[in-house]
Amino acid sequence: MTDLDAAAQTPTQTNDALFSDVRFESFGMTEALLLGVQDLAYQQPTAVQQQVFGPVFDGRDVIVQSQTGSGKTAAFCLPVLSRLDASVKKVQALCLAPTRELALHVATEAARLARHTGLRVAPIYGGASIQAQIDALRAGVHFVVGTPGRVLDMYRRGHLKTEALRFAILDEADEMLSMGFWEEVTGILDLLPTPRQTLLFSATLPPSIETAA
């Protein structure tokens, strides 16, 4: 995995000034995805969004240290959604999150950004109807966001098929480590096809995560 310390902290006033002339239109996204950005009323990309879009869009693996509130969800959603093919009705991106709340947040933001693109997003997590999630996967989903336990369960049952997968994203990797999910997470990554892009986002980078990366 290529190291990219995209944002060490929430952007300061100085950082905002450095990136004040950058607009989402300069990213080279499709008009459909830009419409999703407008729907969410995003006025200007944050520092982490500006620094991450190009490397991810260009096919690089990244490790990003970025605090909550810095805009990291859109930082990985925008370049990943830009690279997915709506005509291929298979899972092309998988994002792992430590909690159902975060999985729902990421899936909701990704779905709203993708609203005009024809791309479908589905959250899968424990504590909710597994049949509804199975039905969503069967209907054809491009981007799955889920908690490690439910993702592994769906994979083992044969409902989550990953032969077309191109992106694996770990969100809040340090939380997954502290909550005891790291073995499940690395086990899932071992099951996924290669080559693929792997994106790791974390508020902190403990030695164990850097070693695993």
Side-chain angles (χ1 to χ4, degrees):
M1 187 178 290
T2 303
D3 286 314
L4 174 64
D5 187 7
Q9 56 186 359
T10 302
T12 62
Q13 185 174 359
T14 301
N15 285 336
D16 288 342
L18 285 173
F19 300 100
S20 61
D21 59 341
V22 177
R23 296 291 182 267
F24 285 107
E25 289 79 4
S26 67
F27 286 2
M29 294 184 290
T30 64
E31 190 66 30
L33 196 51
L34 282 172
L35 286 173
V37 172
Q38 293 171 14
D39 286 348
L40 291 175
Y42 292 164
Q43 300 298 315
Q44 181 184 0
T46 66
V48 67
Q49 291 163 7
Q50 293 174 44
Q51 292 174 280
V52 168
F53 188 92
V56 175
F57 189 82
D58 291 341
R60 293 173 58 187
D61 291 345
V62 297
I63 302 172
V64 182
Q65 185 177 356
S66 183
Q67 298 295 331
T68 299
S70 61
K72 64 181 176 64
T73 302
F76 62 77
C77 283
L78 288 173
V80 168
L81 291 170
S82 295
R83 298 293 306 276
L84 302 186
D85 186 346
S87 69
V88 178
K89 298 188 182 302
K90 295 181 179 181
V91 177
Q92 299 168 48
L94 171 65
C95 176
L96 297 176
T99 65
R100 61 181 292 178
E101 291 78 14
L102 181 60
L104 278 168
H105 165 74
V106 172
T108 299
E109 185 159 353
R112 292 175 71 184
L113 288 168
R115 179 182 176 186
H116 305 281
T117 66
L119 296 168
R120 301 183 65 177
V121 182
I124 57 174
Y125 52 87
S129 169
I130 192 169
Q131 188 57 53
Q133 295 173 8
I134 291 171
D135 291 343
L137 291 173
R138 285 176 175 169
V141 172
H142 304 91
F143 192 156
V144 168
V145 186
T147 50
R150 180 57 62 91
V151 166
L152 196 55
D153 185 33
M154 288 290 205
Y155 181 91
R156 288 172 172 165
R157 292 176 183 230
H159 301 303
L160 176 59
K161 302 182 186 301
T162 61
E163 67 272 9
L165 189 127
R166 300 166 56 195
F167 293 93
I169 306 151
L170 308 185
D171 194 12
E172 294 197 4
D174 52 352
E175 290 296 317
M176 286 194 275
L177 176 66
S178 67
M179 293 173 70
F181 295 145
W182 198 244
E183 187 172 335
E184 279 183 313
V185 168
T186 54
I188 290 168
L189 293 178
D190 286 342
L191 295 171
L192 300 180
T194 54
R196 65 168 188 270
Q197 277 181 255
T198 304
L199 320 178
L200 188 153
F201 284 71
S202 189
T204 62
L205 288 175
S208 53
I209 288 181
E210 290 196 273
T211 299

